[in-house]
Structures are given as C-alpha cells and as structure tokens.
Amino acid sequence: SEAAWGYRSLEKTIMDLDGIVSSRDFGVDLKGKLVGDGSVNYWLKVANNTGNAPEIDKYKRYYAMLQFKLADGLQATVYADYASKANKLDNFDKQLKSNSQFVGSAFLGYKQKDDFSVGAEVFTRSIQNNFTKSAASTLQNQNSFGLSLWGWATLSENFKFVGRFDNYDPNSDLDNDGNAFFMAGLDYRPAKNVSVIPNFQYVSYQAKDSKGNSTQDLVARITFAYTF
C-alpha cells in the first residue's frame, strides 16, 4: 500500500503512522508467484519486529501476504501477521498472561496511468490481555480498527491534487481515544522528479479538553520532495 499511496514524503500509510506495523523490518523473506502469469503472488517473512532498530529480545514477528493483480491497474492484497511478545502480569489476579498480537488487513488500489489513482486500506488488530478498565477488573484484549482512503489526480502537466482520509480507533472498548485524519495538498512539479507540495493536515480527536470541548489539530506545511 505504501508504494500505491506514493506520497511517503507527505505521510506514512495508516498502519505505519499509527504504530500498528512498521513498513520496515529485518528478517528472512520468501516470495514468488502462485500463478504463472503473476496475477497471484505470495510473500512470507520471519523478522525481528524491531523496525530499523537493533534486535532487543528473542521474540519474532511472522508475516504473510497475498497480492492479486485483478486487471490492468487494479490490485488487491490480503495481509496478516502474528507478533509474539513476553507474557504480561495481570495485577488483578497476579497471573502471567499472553500479550501477543494479531493484525489483519486488506488493500484495494486502482491506478489509471498518470491520470489518477485511488486506494483503500482497512485493518484490525487484537492484542491479548493488554488493558484493563479499572483496578478491580482483570486484563482483557485490546482491539483496534483503522480505515484509510486516498487519491490523487493530475490537473495539468505540472500539477496534481492529492487527498486522504483516515479513521483510527486504538481500542474499540473505549470511547475517547479515536481520531479522524484528513490531508489535502497540491503537488507542483517544476522539474522531473521534483515536487513542491503545499498541504495541510487536520486531525479531530474523540478526547475532550478540560471544558468538555472537542479537540483538533490543524497544521499547514510546504513539503519539498526529490525522487532519485
């Protein structure tokens, strides 16, 4: 999805942005074609689960993905991973419990040459025994959900419009931790592989301030990017 999004200079894709899965990891990969014409491909990986950082423990992450090239310019992926982690102490019953996590996602993208591109990515994550609602209750699983929609369109030889919307809920059992993210920008290309992109990001949070008002962030930026 990161390659299909194509605007890493503006922002990470949703799972990387929200700390669900890093776009990079160090490990051993096995990938290839399931169908001779390359319309169905697979990718398996066993890795450290430390991103760009050095290895720090014995626990690993196990990845699997299928990619489907459905038609010219149209692709889909189905992805899952399992991350083993050290057991976590439940302070309620003083028992060590599994804290491993599972992530599943799906992506659908379409690109019409250099005219336009659209994409959608959805994911779910479950972390075993990762939170408790109160000191008087035992640990329970934390379930997260996210949705990302994006697109860009060529306006002229030198200009493209790019927009994106994300919705992220870190814990479906809590009502004050989610956020909605919107971004829009104008990609001006004065020369080959050079982009100057005035853009803004707007984030609306479920959490309220001390007066009970909704909270937002609005950031305006100019992003310079050179592809080499």
Side-chain angles (χ1 to χ4, degrees), residues 41-69:
N41 304 294
Y42 70 90
W43 192 342
L44 305 174
K45 184 180 186 80
V46 180
N48 289 338
N49 194 28
T50 55
N52 292 327
E55 174 65 289
I56 57 173
D57 55 40
K58 66 179 182 180
Y59 302 101
K60 306 301 178 188
R61 196 165 197 149
Y62 307 89
Y63 304 79
M65 185 175 73
L66 290 174
Q67 178 195 40
F68 303 90
K69 296 182 179 180

Side-chain angles (χ1 to χ4, degrees), residues 2 12-13 15-17 19-25 49-52 61 63 79 81:
E2 184 173 90
K12 302 173 183 178
T13 48
M15 288 202 292
D16 194 13
L17 174 64
I20 308 301
V21 182
S22 172
S23 64
R24 294 162 178 81
D25 206 354
N49 194 28
T50 55
N52 292 327
R61 196 165 197 149
Y63 304 79
Y79 164 92
D81 76 61

Side-chain angles (χ1 to χ4, degrees), residues 43-225:
W43 192 342
L44 305 174
K45 184 180 186 80
V46 180
N48 289 338
N49 194 28
T50 55
N52 292 327
E55 174 65 289
I56 57 173
D57 55 40
K58 66 179 182 180
Y59 302 101
K60 306 301 178 188
R61 196 165 197 149
Y62 307 89
Y63 304 79
M65 185 175 73
L66 290 174
Q67 178 195 40
F68 303 90
K69 296 182 179 180
L70 304 173
D72 187 25
L74 179 64
Q75 65 164 324
T77 63
V78 178
Y79 164 92
D81 76 61
Y82 172 78
S84 59
K85 298 169 66 176
N87 288 343
K88 187 172 186 176
L89 177 65
D90 189 333
N91 289 321
F92 179 76
D93 58 15
K94 306 304 180 184
Q95 298 293 316
L96 286 172
K97 298 181 179 180
S98 175
N99 192 224
S100 299
Q101 73 173 35
F102 170 82
V103 175
S105 75
F107 160 71
L108 181 66
Y110 178 73
K111 181 180 180 181
Q112 179 63 51
K113 297 183 179 179
D114 292 326
D115 297 331
F116 71 91
S117 177
V118 292
E121 185 170 20
V122 62
F123 75 84
T124 181
R125 177 183 67 176
S126 179
I127 309 177
Q128 296 177 297
N129 303 299
N130 200 54
F131 89 106
T132 179
K133 288 187 175 180
S134 71
S137 60
T138 188
L139 286 171
Q140 60 188 82
N141 293 352
Q142 177 184 340
N143 298 304
S144 308
F145 173 82
L147 168 68
S148 183
L149 306 171
W150 72 79
W152 59 257
T154 298
L155 303 177
S156 68
E157 183 178 354
N158 299 106
F159 288 94
K160 289 183 179 180
F161 172 80
V162 57
R164 175 170 149 188
F165 170 78
D166 291 359
N167 187 269
Y168 174 49
D169 185 357
N171 193 333
S172 58
D173 289 309
L174 301 177
D175 297 325
N176 64 345
D177 61 341
N179 67 75
F181 166 90
F182 177 77
M183 180 175 62
L186 188 64
D187 181 1
Y188 170 56
R189 300 196 172 187
K192 184 179 180 181
N193 299 332
V194 177
S195 286
V196 181
I197 314 172
N199 63 95
F200 74 89
Q201 294 185 352
Y202 171 78
V203 184
S204 177
Y205 301 95
Q206 282 185 324
K208 307 294 184 180
D209 63 17
S210 58
K211 297 180 180 179
N213 299 318
S214 59
T215 55
Q216 303 92 25
D217 284 336
L218 178 62
V219 180
R221 311 180 301 180
I222 298 180
T223 301
F224 300 89

Side-chain angles (χ1 to χ4, degrees), residues 25-41:
D25 206 354
F26 183 82
V28 179
D29 300 61
L30 176 65
K31 53 185 176 179
K33 300 176 182 178
L34 285 178
V35 178
D37 62 2
S39 59
V40 183
N41 304 294

